[in-house]
mmCIF file of all heavy atoms in Angstrom:
data_model
loop_
_atom_site.group_PDB
_atom_site.id
_atom_site.type_symbol
_atom_site.label_atom_id
_atom_site.label_comp_id
_atom_site.label_asym_id
_atom_site.label_seq_id
_atom_site.Cartn_x
_atom_site.Cartn_y
_atom_site.Cartn_z
ATOM 1 N N LEU L 1 0.812 -1.216 0.000
ATOM 2 C CA LEU L 1 0.000 0.000 0.000
ATOM 3 C C LEU L 1 0.850 1.273 0.000
ATOM 4 O O LEU L 1 0.529 2.238 -0.690
ATOM 5 C CB LEU L 1 -0.939 -0.008 1.199
ATOM 6 C CG LEU L 1 -1.986 -1.134 1.210
ATOM 7 C CD1 LEU L 1 -2.839 -1.057 2.478
ATOM 8 C CD2 LEU L 1 -2.859 -1.063 -0.022
ATOM 9 N N VAL L 2 1.926 1.271 0.766
ATOM 10 C CA VAL L 2 2.776 2.465 0.808
ATOM 11 C C VAL L 2 3.367 2.729 -0.569
ATOM 12 O O VAL L 2 3.340 3.854 -1.079
ATOM 13 C CB VAL L 2 3.885 2.299 1.856
ATOM 14 C CG1 VAL L 2 4.878 3.453 1.769
ATOM 15 C CG2 VAL L 2 3.297 2.224 3.261
ATOM 16 N N GLY L 3 3.888 1.679 -1.199
ATOM 17 C CA GLY L 3 4.463 1.838 -2.525
ATOM 18 C C GLY L 3 3.431 2.269 -3.556
ATOM 19 O O GLY L 3 3.716 3.107 -4.429
ATOM 20 N N LEU L 4 2.226 1.711 -3.476
ATOM 21 C CA LEU L 4 1.182 2.062 -4.434
ATOM 22 C C LEU L 4 0.772 3.523 -4.284
ATOM 23 O O LEU L 4 0.581 4.237 -5.281
ATOM 24 C CB LEU L 4 -0.024 1.153 -4.244
ATOM 25 C CG LEU L 4 0.202 -0.339 -4.538
ATOM 26 C CD1 LEU L 4 -1.075 -1.124 -4.289
ATOM 27 C CD2 LEU L 4 0.687 -0.547 -5.947
ATOM 28 N N ARG L 5 0.623 3.985 -3.049
ATOM 29 C CA ARG L 5 0.244 5.390 -2.833
ATOM 30 C C ARG L 5 1.342 6.328 -3.306
ATOM 31 O O ARG L 5 1.072 7.346 -3.947
ATOM 32 C CB ARG L 5 -0.063 5.616 -1.356
ATOM 33 C CG ARG L 5 -1.353 4.927 -0.908
ATOM 34 C CD ARG L 5 -1.494 4.934 0.593
ATOM 35 N NE ARG L 5 -2.680 4.198 1.031
ATOM 36 C CZ ARG L 5 -2.758 3.516 2.161
ATOM 37 N NH1 ARG L 5 -1.716 3.466 2.979
ATOM 38 N NH2 ARG L 5 -3.866 2.867 2.481
ATOM 39 N N ARG L 6 2.587 5.976 -3.013
ATOM 40 C CA ARG L 6 3.701 6.816 -3.452
ATOM 41 C C ARG L 6 3.807 6.851 -4.974
ATOM 42 O O ARG L 6 4.288 7.837 -5.545
ATOM 43 C CB ARG L 6 5.012 6.304 -2.858
ATOM 44 C CG ARG L 6 5.150 6.573 -1.367
ATOM 45 C CD ARG L 6 6.432 5.973 -0.830
ATOM 46 N NE ARG L 6 6.611 6.282 0.582
ATOM 47 C CZ ARG L 6 7.583 5.777 1.349
ATOM 48 N NH1 ARG L 6 8.457 4.920 0.811
ATOM 49 N NH2 ARG L 6 7.686 6.108 2.609
ATOM 50 N N SER L 7 3.376 5.789 -5.635
ATOM 51 C CA SER L 7 3.456 5.739 -7.093
ATOM 52 C C SER L 7 2.418 6.624 -7.761
ATOM 53 O O SER L 7 2.484 6.857 -8.976
ATOM 54 C CB SER L 7 3.270 4.299 -7.576
ATOM 55 O OG SER L 7 1.912 3.893 -7.481
ATOM 56 N N GLY L 8 1.440 7.085 -6.985
ATOM 57 C CA GLY L 8 0.375 7.897 -7.549
ATOM 58 C C GLY L 8 -0.784 7.097 -8.101
ATOM 59 O O GLY L 8 -1.655 7.657 -8.775
ATOM 60 N N MET L 9 -0.848 5.812 -7.805
ATOM 61 C CA MET L 9 -1.958 4.993 -8.287
ATOM 62 C C MET L 9 -3.278 5.496 -7.719
ATOM 63 O O MET L 9 -3.376 5.852 -6.545
ATOM 64 C CB MET L 9 -1.736 3.519 -7.913
ATOM 65 C CG MET L 9 -2.813 2.582 -8.419
ATOM 66 S SD MET L 9 -2.501 0.841 -8.007
ATOM 67 C CE MET L 9 -1.184 0.437 -9.160
ATOM 68 N N ALA L 10 -4.303 5.508 -8.552
ATOM 69 C CA ALA L 10 -5.617 5.995 -8.140
ATOM 70 C C ALA L 10 -6.197 5.115 -7.033
ATOM 71 O O ALA L 10 -5.983 3.903 -7.017
ATOM 72 C CB ALA L 10 -6.554 6.009 -9.336
ATOM 73 N N PRO L 11 -6.951 5.716 -6.090
ATOM 74 C CA PRO L 11 -7.511 4.945 -4.982
ATOM 75 C C PRO L 11 -8.358 3.751 -5.429
ATOM 76 O O PRO L 11 -8.310 2.690 -4.800
ATOM 77 C CB PRO L 11 -8.356 5.975 -4.226
ATOM 78 C CG PRO L 11 -7.719 7.282 -4.541
ATOM 79 C CD PRO L 11 -7.223 7.172 -5.939
ATOM 80 N N GLU L 12 -9.129 3.916 -6.508
ATOM 81 C CA GLU L 12 -9.963 2.796 -6.957
ATOM 82 C C GLU L 12 -9.108 1.636 -7.468
ATOM 83 O O GLU L 12 -9.479 0.471 -7.311
ATOM 84 C CB GLU L 12 -10.957 3.254 -8.029
ATOM 85 C CG GLU L 12 -10.337 3.864 -9.277
ATOM 86 C CD GLU L 12 -10.165 5.366 -9.160
ATOM 87 O OE1 GLU L 12 -10.138 5.893 -8.024
ATOM 88 O OE2 GLU L 12 -10.045 6.018 -10.222
ATOM 89 N N GLU L 13 -7.957 1.968 -8.075
ATOM 90 C CA GLU L 13 -7.048 0.907 -8.518
ATOM 91 C C GLU L 13 -6.416 0.210 -7.323
ATOM 92 O O GLU L 13 -6.258 -1.017 -7.330
ATOM 93 C CB GLU L 13 -5.966 1.487 -9.426
ATOM 94 C CG GLU L 13 -6.405 1.733 -10.858
ATOM 95 C CD GLU L 13 -6.477 0.433 -11.648
ATOM 96 O OE1 GLU L 13 -7.438 -0.337 -11.412
ATOM 97 O OE2 GLU L 13 -5.611 0.175 -12.483
ATOM 98 N N ILE L 14 -6.050 0.987 -6.315
ATOM 99 C CA ILE L 14 -5.473 0.385 -5.116
ATOM 100 C C ILE L 14 -6.474 -0.563 -4.463
ATOM 101 O O ILE L 14 -6.119 -1.671 -4.025
ATOM 102 C CB ILE L 14 -5.028 1.480 -4.131
ATOM 103 C CG1 ILE L 14 -3.854 2.267 -4.719
ATOM 104 C CG2 ILE L 14 -4.651 0.874 -2.781
ATOM 105 C CD1 ILE L 14 -3.405 3.439 -3.860
ATOM 106 N N ASN L 15 -7.741 -0.169 -4.403
ATOM 107 C CA ASN L 15 -8.762 -1.045 -3.831
ATOM 108 C C ASN L 15 -8.911 -2.328 -4.640
ATOM 109 O O ASN L 15 -9.092 -3.409 -4.074
ATOM 110 C CB ASN L 15 -10.097 -0.306 -3.757
ATOM 111 C CG ASN L 15 -10.101 0.763 -2.680
ATOM 112 O OD1 ASN L 15 -9.377 0.664 -1.687
ATOM 113 N ND2 ASN L 15 -10.913 1.800 -2.869
ATOM 114 N N ALA L 16 -8.824 -2.210 -5.961
ATOM 115 C CA ALA L 16 -8.913 -3.407 -6.803
ATOM 116 C C ALA L 16 -7.727 -4.325 -6.558
ATOM 117 O O ALA L 16 -7.875 -5.554 -6.487
ATOM 118 C CB ALA L 16 -8.983 -3.002 -8.279
ATOM 119 N N VAL L 17 -6.541 -3.756 -6.394
ATOM 120 C CA VAL L 17 -5.353 -4.559 -6.091
ATOM 121 C C VAL L 17 -5.522 -5.255 -4.754
ATOM 122 O O VAL L 17 -5.197 -6.442 -4.604
ATOM 123 C CB VAL L 17 -4.088 -3.675 -6.102
ATOM 124 C CG1 VAL L 17 -2.904 -4.425 -5.495
ATOM 125 C CG2 VAL L 17 -3.761 -3.224 -7.518
ATOM 126 N N LYS L 18 -6.049 -4.551 -3.756
ATOM 127 C CA LYS L 18 -6.262 -5.166 -2.444
ATOM 128 C C LYS L 18 -7.190 -6.365 -2.550
ATOM 129 O O LYS L 18 -6.946 -7.413 -1.930
ATOM 130 C CB LYS L 18 -6.819 -4.127 -1.471
ATOM 131 C CG LYS L 18 -5.817 -3.078 -1.043
ATOM 132 C CD LYS L 18 -6.464 -1.913 -0.317
ATOM 133 C CE LYS L 18 -7.136 -2.321 0.960
ATOM 134 N NZ LYS L 18 -7.706 -1.145 1.684
ATOM 135 N N ARG L 19 -8.245 -6.231 -3.344
ATOM 136 C CA ARG L 19 -9.165 -7.372 -3.507
ATOM 137 C C ARG L 19 -8.454 -8.540 -4.177
ATOM 138 O O ARG L 19 -8.617 -9.700 -3.768
ATOM 139 C CB ARG L 19 -10.389 -6.941 -4.318
ATOM 140 C CG ARG L 19 -11.338 -6.006 -3.573
ATOM 141 C CD ARG L 19 -12.671 -5.857 -4.294
ATOM 142 N NE ARG L 19 -12.522 -5.156 -5.572
ATOM 143 C CZ ARG L 19 -12.589 -3.833 -5.703
ATOM 144 N NH1 ARG L 19 -12.788 -3.072 -4.623
ATOM 145 N NH2 ARG L 19 -12.475 -3.276 -6.889
ATOM 146 N N ALA L 20 -7.669 -8.247 -5.205
ATOM 147 C CA ALA L 20 -6.948 -9.306 -5.907
ATOM 148 C C ALA L 20 -5.955 -10.006 -4.979
ATOM 149 O O ALA L 20 -5.848 -11.244 -4.976
ATOM 150 C CB ALA L 20 -6.230 -8.729 -7.127
ATOM 151 N N VAL L 21 -5.236 -9.221 -4.190
ATOM 152 C CA VAL L 21 -4.243 -9.797 -3.289
ATOM 153 C C VAL L 21 -4.920 -10.657 -2.224
ATOM 154 O O VAL L 21 -4.416 -11.731 -1.857
ATOM 155 C CB VAL L 21 -3.390 -8.677 -2.660
ATOM 156 C CG1 VAL L 21 -2.507 -9.228 -1.544
ATOM 157 C CG2 VAL L 21 -2.531 -8.010 -3.725
ATOM 158 N N ASN L 22 -6.063 -10.245 -1.736
ATOM 159 C CA ASN L 22 -6.785 -11.063 -0.759
ATOM 160 C C ASN L 22 -7.164 -12.416 -1.339
ATOM 161 O O ASN L 22 -7.108 -13.445 -0.648
ATOM 162 C CB ASN L 22 -8.038 -10.321 -0.278
ATOM 163 C CG ASN L 22 -7.715 -9.181 0.663
ATOM 164 O OD1 ASN L 22 -6.660 -9.161 1.292
ATOM 165 N ND2 ASN L 22 -8.617 -8.206 0.759
ATOM 166 N N HIS L 23 -7.544 -12.428 -2.605
ATOM 167 C CA HIS L 23 -7.849 -13.715 -3.254
ATOM 168 C C HIS L 23 -6.596 -14.568 -3.390
ATOM 169 O O HIS L 23 -6.653 -15.794 -3.190
ATOM 170 C CB HIS L 23 -8.482 -13.480 -4.631
ATOM 171 C CG HIS L 23 -9.906 -13.006 -4.566
ATOM 172 N ND1 HIS L 23 -10.933 -13.788 -4.079
ATOM 173 C CD2 HIS L 23 -10.477 -11.821 -4.937
ATOM 174 C CE1 HIS L 23 -12.074 -13.118 -4.151
ATOM 175 N NE2 HIS L 23 -11.827 -11.923 -4.657
ATOM 176 N N MET L 24 -5.460 -13.948 -3.721
ATOM 177 C CA MET L 24 -4.228 -14.723 -3.835
ATOM 178 C C MET L 24 -3.808 -15.291 -2.490
ATOM 179 O O MET L 24 -3.276 -16.407 -2.413
ATOM 180 C CB MET L 24 -3.112 -13.849 -4.421
ATOM 181 C CG MET L 24 -3.268 -13.588 -5.908
ATOM 182 S SD MET L 24 -1.829 -12.783 -6.649
ATOM 183 C CE MET L 24 -2.004 -11.133 -5.983
ATOM 184 N N ARG L 25 -4.049 -14.568 -1.424
ATOM 185 C CA ARG L 25 -3.684 -15.039 -0.101
ATOM 186 C C ARG L 25 -4.604 -16.153 0.397
ATOM 187 O O ARG L 25 -4.289 -16.847 1.368
ATOM 188 C CB ARG L 25 -3.698 -13.883 0.906
ATOM 189 C CG ARG L 25 -2.659 -12.818 0.610
ATOM 190 C CD ARG L 25 -2.591 -11.760 1.696
ATOM 191 N NE ARG L 25 -2.003 -12.303 2.905
ATOM 192 C CZ ARG L 25 -2.636 -12.470 4.049
ATOM 193 N NH1 ARG L 25 -3.934 -12.147 4.143
ATOM 194 N NH2 ARG L 25 -2.034 -12.968 5.102
ATOM 195 N N ALA L 26 -5.734 -16.346 -0.275
ATOM 196 C CA ALA L 26 -6.690 -17.380 0.140
ATOM 197 C C ALA L 26 -6.279 -18.767 -0.313
ATOM 198 O O ALA L 26 -6.940 -19.758 0.030
ATOM 199 C CB ALA L 26 -8.079 -17.050 -0.406
ATOM 200 N N ASP L 27 -5.207 -18.880 -1.105
ATOM 201 C CA ASP L 27 -4.694 -20.177 -1.559
ATOM 202 C C ASP L 27 -5.744 -21.001 -2.296
ATOM 203 O O ASP L 27 -5.823 -22.221 -2.134
ATOM 204 C CB ASP L 27 -4.133 -20.982 -0.379
ATOM 205 C CG ASP L 27 -2.855 -20.368 0.168
ATOM 206 O OD1 ASP L 27 -1.992 -19.974 -0.642
ATOM 207 O OD2 ASP L 27 -2.715 -20.276 1.399
ATOM 208 N N MET L 28 -6.573 -20.334 -3.091
ATOM 209 C CA MET L 28 -7.550 -21.072 -3.890
ATOM 210 C C MET L 28 -6.849 -21.779 -5.054
ATOM 211 O O MET L 28 -5.720 -21.430 -5.405
ATOM 212 C CB MET L 28 -8.625 -20.127 -4.416
ATOM 213 C CG MET L 28 -8.118 -19.034 -5.339
ATOM 214 S SD MET L 28 -9.453 -17.976 -5.979
ATOM 215 C CE MET L 28 -10.150 -17.320 -4.466
ATOM 216 N N PRO L 29 -7.480 -22.791 -5.651
ATOM 217 C CA PRO L 29 -6.877 -23.471 -6.797
ATOM 218 C C PRO L 29 -6.543 -22.481 -7.914
ATOM 219 O O PRO L 29 -7.219 -21.457 -8.095
ATOM 220 C CB PRO L 29 -7.965 -24.455 -7.233
ATOM 221 C CG PRO L 29 -8.761 -24.702 -5.988
ATOM 222 C CD PRO L 29 -8.760 -23.400 -5.244
ATOM 223 N N ARG L 30 -5.511 -22.808 -8.660
ATOM 224 C CA ARG L 30 -5.010 -21.897 -9.688
ATOM 225 C C ARG L 30 -6.094 -21.503 -10.685
ATOM 226 O O ARG L 30 -6.221 -20.324 -11.039
ATOM 227 C CB ARG L 30 -3.833 -22.561 -10.418
ATOM 228 C CG ARG L 30 -3.245 -21.721 -11.544
ATOM 229 C CD ARG L 30 -2.120 -22.478 -12.243
ATOM 230 N NE ARG L 30 -1.642 -21.765 -13.405
ATOM 231 C CZ ARG L 30 -0.745 -20.789 -13.398
ATOM 232 N NH1 ARG L 30 -0.247 -20.383 -12.250
ATOM 233 N NH2 ARG L 30 -0.360 -20.206 -14.516
ATOM 234 N N GLU L 31 -6.883 -22.459 -11.126
ATOM 235 C CA GLU L 31 -7.920 -22.154 -12.118
ATOM 236 C C GLU L 31 -8.947 -21.176 -11.555
ATOM 237 O O GLU L 31 -9.390 -20.251 -12.245
ATOM 238 C CB GLU L 31 -8.612 -23.443 -12.577
ATOM 239 C CG GLU L 31 -7.712 -24.398 -13.358
ATOM 240 C CD GLU L 31 -6.751 -25.155 -12.465
ATOM 241 O OE1 GLU L 31 -6.922 -25.131 -11.220
ATOM 242 O OE2 GLU L 31 -5.804 -25.767 -13.004
ATOM 243 N N ASP L 32 -9.322 -21.376 -10.294
ATOM 244 C CA ASP L 32 -10.275 -20.470 -9.664
ATOM 245 C C ASP L 32 -9.680 -19.075 -9.499
ATOM 246 O O ASP L 32 -10.363 -18.058 -9.712
ATOM 247 C CB ASP L 32 -10.709 -21.016 -8.301
ATOM 248 C CG ASP L 32 -11.479 -22.321 -8.421
ATOM 249 O OD1 ASP L 32 -11.923 -22.656 -9.538
ATOM 250 O OD2 ASP L 32 -11.629 -23.004 -7.394
ATOM 251 N N LEU L 33 -8.394 -19.017 -9.111
ATOM 252 C CA LEU L 33 -7.739 -17.720 -8.949
ATOM 253 C C LEU L 33 -7.688 -16.967 -10.276
ATOM 254 O O LEU L 33 -7.997 -15.768 -10.333
ATOM 255 C CB LEU L 33 -6.329 -17.915 -8.403
ATOM 256 C CG LEU L 33 -5.475 -16.649 -8.306
ATOM 257 C CD1 LEU L 33 -6.101 -15.655 -7.334
ATOM 258 C CD2 LEU L 33 -4.050 -16.994 -7.891
ATOM 259 N N LEU L 34 -7.332 -17.662 -11.347
ATOM 260 C CA LEU L 34 -7.265 -17.001 -12.651
ATOM 261 C C LEU L 34 -8.632 -16.469 -13.069
ATOM 262 O O LEU L 34 -8.725 -15.377 -13.641
ATOM 263 C CB LEU L 34 -6.724 -17.970 -13.701
ATOM 264 C CG LEU L 34 -5.234 -18.303 -13.591
ATOM 265 C CD1 LEU L 34 -4.869 -19.407 -14.579
ATOM 266 C CD2 LEU L 34 -4.373 -17.072 -13.834
ATOM 267 N N ALA L 35 -9.674 -17.207 -12.750
ATOM 268 C CA ALA L 35 -11.020 -16.749 -13.097
ATOM 269 C C ALA L 35 -11.381 -15.483 -12.334
ATOM 270 O O ALA L 35 -11.952 -14.537 -12.892
ATOM 271 C CB ALA L 35 -12.037 -17.862 -12.813
ATOM 272 N N VAL L 36 -11.039 -15.437 -11.035
ATOM 273 C CA VAL L 36 -11.330 -14.253 -10.232
ATOM 274 C C VAL L 36 -10.529 -13.057 -10.733
ATOM 275 O O VAL L 36 -11.051 -11.945 -10.879
ATOM 276 C CB VAL L 36 -11.025 -14.541 -8.750
ATOM 277 C CG1 VAL L 36 -11.072 -13.244 -7.936
ATOM 278 C CG2 VAL L 36 -12.014 -15.545 -8.180
ATOM 279 N N LEU L 37 -9.234 -13.270 -10.991
ATOM 280 C CA LEU L 37 -8.394 -12.176 -11.469
ATOM 281 C C LEU L 37 -8.861 -11.670 -12.830
ATOM 282 O O LEU L 37 -8.842 -10.459 -13.096
ATOM 283 C CB LEU L 37 -6.936 -12.632 -11.552
ATOM 284 C CG LEU L 37 -6.235 -12.949 -10.231
ATOM 285 C CD1 LEU L 37 -4.823 -13.464 -10.500
ATOM 286 C CD2 LEU L 37 -6.186 -11.727 -9.321
ATOM 287 N N ASP L 38 -9.300 -12.586 -13.673
ATOM 288 C CA ASP L 38 -9.786 -12.194 -14.991
ATOM 289 C C ASP L 38 -11.015 -11.285 -14.867
ATOM 290 O O ASP L 38 -11.150 -10.284 -15.591
ATOM 291 C CB ASP L 38 -10.119 -13.443 -15.807
ATOM 292 C CG ASP L 38 -10.482 -13.110 -17.238
ATOM 293 O OD1 ASP L 38 -9.651 -12.537 -17.956
ATOM 294 O OD2 ASP L 38 -11.625 -13.413 -17.643
ATOM 295 N N GLU L 39 -11.893 -11.606 -13.936
ATOM 296 C CA GLU L 39 -13.084 -10.774 -13.731
ATOM 297 C C GLU L 39 -12.705 -9.395 -13.190
ATOM 298 O O GLU L 39 -13.200 -8.368 -13.674
ATOM 299 C CB GLU L 39 -14.036 -11.477 -12.766
ATOM 300 C CG GLU L 39 -15.322 -10.700 -12.513
ATOM 301 C CD GLU L 39 -16.273 -11.448 -11.592
ATOM 302 O OE1 GLU L 39 -15.994 -12.623 -11.262
ATOM 303 O OE2 GLU L 39 -17.293 -10.850 -11.186
ATOM 304 N N LEU L 40 -11.793 -9.356 -12.188
ATOM 305 C CA LEU L 40 -11.380 -8.073 -11.624
ATOM 306 C C LEU L 40 -10.614 -7.230 -12.645
ATOM 307 O O LEU L 40 -10.702 -5.997 -12.637
ATOM 308 C CB LEU L 40 -10.507 -8.307 -10.391
ATOM 309 C CG LEU L 40 -11.198 -8.870 -9.148
ATOM 310 C CD1 LEU L 40 -10.166 -9.199 -8.080
ATOM 311 C CD2 LEU L 40 -12.220 -7.873 -8.610
ATOM 312 N N ALA L 41 -9.890 -7.891 -13.544
ATOM 313 C CA ALA L 41 -9.079 -7.173 -14.528
ATOM 314 C C ALA L 41 -9.921 -6.456 -15.570
ATOM 315 O O ALA L 41 -9.412 -5.573 -16.272
ATOM 316 C CB ALA L 41 -8.115 -8.143 -15.208
ATOM 317 N N GLU L 42 -11.206 -6.809 -15.667
ATOM 318 C CA GLU L 42 -12.070 -6.132 -16.641
ATOM 319 C C GLU L 42 -12.206 -4.642 -16.338
ATOM 320 O O GLU L 42 -12.431 -3.842 -17.247
ATOM 321 C CB GLU L 42 -13.447 -6.798 -16.655
ATOM 322 C CG GLU L 42 -13.433 -8.217 -17.231
ATOM 323 C CD GLU L 42 -14.808 -8.847 -17.205
ATOM 324 O OE1 GLU L 42 -15.761 -8.170 -16.758
ATOM 325 O OE2 GLU L 42 -14.938 -10.019 -17.630
ATOM 326 N N THR L 43 -12.052 -4.282 -15.063
ATOM 327 C CA THR L 43 -12.199 -2.874 -14.674
ATOM 328 C C THR L 43 -10.949 -2.311 -14.011
ATOM 329 O O THR L 43 -10.972 -1.207 -13.481
ATOM 330 C CB THR L 43 -13.389 -2.704 -13.711
ATOM 331 O OG1 THR L 43 -13.207 -3.567 -12.572
ATOM 332 C CG2 THR L 43 -14.701 -3.039 -14.406
ATOM 333 N N SER L 44 -9.847 -3.064 -14.047
ATOM 334 C CA SER L 44 -8.631 -2.603 -13.373
ATOM 335 C C SER L 44 -7.405 -2.987 -14.178
ATOM 336 O O SER L 44 -7.098 -4.174 -14.349
ATOM 337 C CB SER L 44 -8.523 -3.210 -11.964
ATOM 338 O OG SER L 44 -7.248 -2.979 -11.411
ATOM 339 N N GLU L 45 -6.674 -1.989 -14.646
ATOM 340 C CA GLU L 45 -5.432 -2.236 -15.371
ATOM 341 C C GLU L 45 -4.392 -2.871 -14.462
ATOM 342 O O GLU L 45 -3.631 -3.748 -14.881
ATOM 343 C CB GLU L 45 -4.900 -0.924 -15.947
ATOM 344 C CG GLU L 45 -3.620 -1.078 -16.758
ATOM 345 C CD GLU L 45 -3.158 0.234 -17.348
ATOM 346 O OE1 GLU L 45 -3.901 1.242 -17.255
ATOM 347 O OE2 GLU L 45 -2.039 0.269 -17.904
ATOM 348 N N ALA L 46 -4.340 -2.442 -13.204
ATOM 349 C CA ALA L 46 -3.355 -2.978 -12.270
ATOM 350 C C ALA L 46 -3.588 -4.466 -12.019
ATOM 351 O O ALA L 46 -2.638 -5.262 -11.986
ATOM 352 C CB ALA L 46 -3.400 -2.202 -10.949
ATOM 353 N N VAL L 47 -4.852 -4.860 -11.851
ATOM 354 C CA VAL L 47 -5.140 -6.285 -11.679
ATOM 355 C C VAL L 47 -4.799 -7.040 -12.966
ATOM 356 O O VAL L 47 -4.373 -8.202 -12.932
ATOM 357 C CB VAL L 47 -6.603 -6.516 -11.276
ATOM 358 C CG1 VAL L 47 -6.917 -8.005 -11.180
ATOM 359 C CG2 VAL L 47 -6.889 -5.843 -9.930
ATOM 360 N N GLY L 48 -4.942 -6.376 -14.110
ATOM 361 C CA GLY L 48 -4.511 -6.987 -15.361
ATOM 362 C C GLY L 48 -3.028 -7.320 -15.341
ATOM 363 O O GLY L 48 -2.603 -8.360 -15.876
#
């Protein structure tokens, strides 16, 4: 978060990254993780 804020990333992008990272920390199966990230990436370049 500190690095993202210092980089000037928009707050909505930072929130999208936080959601993506929470999914990665959940240790879900790879296929499920890719599906979640693909959905979040539709509205977030950073998640892309």
Side-chain angles (χ1 to χ4, degrees):
L1 296 178
V2 172
L4 295 179
R5 290 169 184 147
R6 288 177 177 173
S7 75
M9 182 178 286
E12 59 270 21
E13 280 284 74
I14 293 176
N15 288 333
V17 168
K18 289 168 62 177
R19 289 193 293 271
V21 170
N22 286 337
H23 286 294
M24 286 189 287
R25 296 186 71 246
D27 291 316
M28 62 178 60
R30 178 182 174 84
E31 294 76 12
D32 295 345
L33 174 63
L34 288 173
V36 169
L37 293 177
D38 186 60
E39 181 178 353
L40 290 173
E42 292 179 1
T43 56
S44 169
E45 182 178 352
V47 177

